[in-house]
Amino acid sequence: MTARLSPMSVSVVMPVRNEEQHLEAAVARVLSQDYDGELEVILAVGPSEDATLAIAQRLADADARVRVVDNPSGYTPSGLNRAIEAARHDVIVRVDGHGELSPGYIRRAVELLERTGAANVGGVMDAVGRTPFERAVAAAYNSPYGLGGGGFHHRDTPEGPADTVFLGVFRREVLEEVGGYDEGMHRAQDWELNYRLRSAGHVVYFSPDLHVTYRPRSTFRALASQFYLTGRWRREVVRRYPETASLRYLAPPIAVAGGFGGLGAGLVGLALRHRLLGLLLFVPLVYVVFNLYASTKIPTDAAARLRLPFVLAVMHTCWGLGFLRGAPE
């Protein structure tokens, strides 16, 4: 009879900053995983304006499996690299302070690594909100009308090789082979890393059996800042890898340029009584009609639906403006 091999040992790495609302729940979901192998959690804590560091230290004091490392820059990719450097094990599980792993996530992910030989496996980003505003944001995240239909936003996406996945469970030796996370990519670092993994001949593998509950931003200001910065860094991805440009990423900046351009030209046309210029006011009107139509088609509750047109407008406009602006120096 063949002896059963011991499960692979796992290091969970979490870059956290200003996460006092969600950190305890995120860590609790990791520690409660039904995984028979050795497991540790490394919290890379950036400079925070709330009690994140105190909560992280309390969690480490309460459970020897949890350790805290410093991430002085506060940026996600540097925090991930600091945590990976401190990790003891050969499987690296990325988790965010906003994310809560589903039961059995780590066990199934390790099984997928072994079965597929992939360098990275991951699953569904399941956005779930608590307040009406958060539920509106979550509904937009989970809809093609909001984020453009990325595969890892949908549970009906079939299992198999993918361009990218949400978060990820990695073979450590492959991460080291490609140089880890690019610390110059303050956003979109997951997509950029997965692109390098695939370019090096490795497989990135998606499974809908893996899903992580994601807690969306809770205010318009936070949502606008998130999408503006995401748009700026997506522009940097396209600058580095022009072959990755797609309509999904170009639609928001095209809509913003067309909408504001049409509005400005149309108003000038009205002032000058220039009929052709005035007709350009139909360009932003087309977006308004699309926005209202999308808001009726995205599944959500009545209270969240009232906020959906504004949430979609913030997502599309801020992403587009950020993309047009480009990445920070």
Side-chain angles (χ1 to χ4, degrees):
M1 183 176 178
T2 304
R4 182 176 182 272
L5 297 177
S6 299
M8 300 172 73
S9 298
V10 167
S11 295
V12 177
V13 297
M14 298 180 63
V16 294
R17 181 182 182 187
N18 295 327
E19 289 288 2
E20 68 176 6
Q21 286 188 315
H22 304 291
L23 182 56
E24 287 188 82
V27 172
R29 283 292 188 95
V30 174
L31 297 178
S32 65
Q33 290 283 303
D34 57 338
Y35 188 66
D36 293 334
E38 190 173 351
L39 181 147
E40 65 174 355
V41 181
I42 300 99
L43 305 176
V45 182
S48 300
E49 299 169 356
D50 59 14
T52 297
L53 178 58
I55 293 170
Q57 290 176 332
R58 173 160 51 80
L59 292 170
D61 290 341
D63 194 311
R65 293 174 293 175
V66 181
R67 289 187 287 138
V68 177
V69 298
D70 188 29
N71 177 27
S73 76
Y75 292 118
T76 296
S78 60
L80 286 164
N81 285 341
R82 301 294 86 71
I84 293 167
E85 289 169 3
R88 301 188 180 104
H89 303 313
D90 293 331
V91 174
I92 303 295
V93 179
R94 177 180 173 181
V95 180
D96 280 346
H98 270 63
E100 299 174 16
L101 301 184
S102 57
Y105 178 95
I106 292 177
R107 172 176 47 79
R108 286 195 292 270
V110 172
E111 290 171 355
L112 273 175
L113 280 179
E114 295 178 319
R115 174 167 64 85
T116 65
N120 178 22
V121 302
V124 178
M125 174 186 175
D126 186 14
V128 178
R130 296 187 177 98
T131 67
F133 176 82
E134 290 175 359
R135 293 198 299 274
V137 175
Y141 261 112
N142 295 334
S143 168
Y145 295 115
L147 285 184
F152 63 76
H153 291 286
H154 308 290
R155 294 194 184 191
D156 58 357
T157 301
E159 179 177 311
D163 288 343
T164 191
V165 293
F166 183 53
L167 301 178
V169 177
F170 302 85
R171 298 180 186 274
R172 180 177 185 152
E173 69 269 18
V174 180
L175 274 180
E176 293 172 347
E177 174 193 325
V178 300
Y181 287 89
D182 185 339
E183 297 188 16
M185 292 292 298
H186 296 170
R187 297 291 177 102
Q189 64 277 150
D190 293 304
W191 195 99
E192 194 275 341
L193 172 60
N194 285 317
Y195 182 84
R196 284 188 284 120
L197 286 172
R198 291 187 290 108
S199 298
H202 299 291
V203 173
V204 176
Y205 199 86
F206 171 85
S207 172
D209 291 337
L210 304 174
H211 59 94
V212 180
T213 298
Y214 173 82
R215 300 299 181 185
R217 300 298 191 270
S218 57
T219 66
F220 275 111
R221 181 177 180 179
L223 182 68
S225 176
Q226 178 191 18
F227 271 74
Y228 179 69
L229 288 173
T230 300
R232 296 190 73 177
W233 285 102
R234 179 58 62 181
R235 170 73 175 274
E236 175 63 12
V237 171
V238 172
R239 186 191 70 81
R240 293 188 186 192
Y241 312 111
E243 69 277 13
T244 67
S246 68
L247 181 60
R248 178 187 172 202
Y249 298 126
L250 297 179
I254 290 172
V256 166
F260 283 107
L263 179 63
L267 291 176
V268 170
L270 289 180
L272 299 178
R273 297 186 178 181
H274 190 293
R275 188 173 181 179
L276 289 179
L277 281 179
L279 288 175
L280 290 175
L281 285 173
F282 281 100
V283 176
L285 182 61
V286 168
Y287 174 75
V288 172
V289 172
F290 162 79
N291 184 310
L292 295 176
Y293 172 80
S295 297
T296 66
K297 292 298 182 181
I298 296 175
T300 190
D301 61 273
R305 191 176 306 283
L306 291 174
R307 294 159 174 81
L308 258 178
F310 307 101
V311 165
L312 289 173
V314 167
M315 284 182 165
H316 298 152
T317 302
C318 291
W319 175 296
L321 288 173
F323 190 97
L324 292 171
R325 174 74 184 277
E329 294 294 331

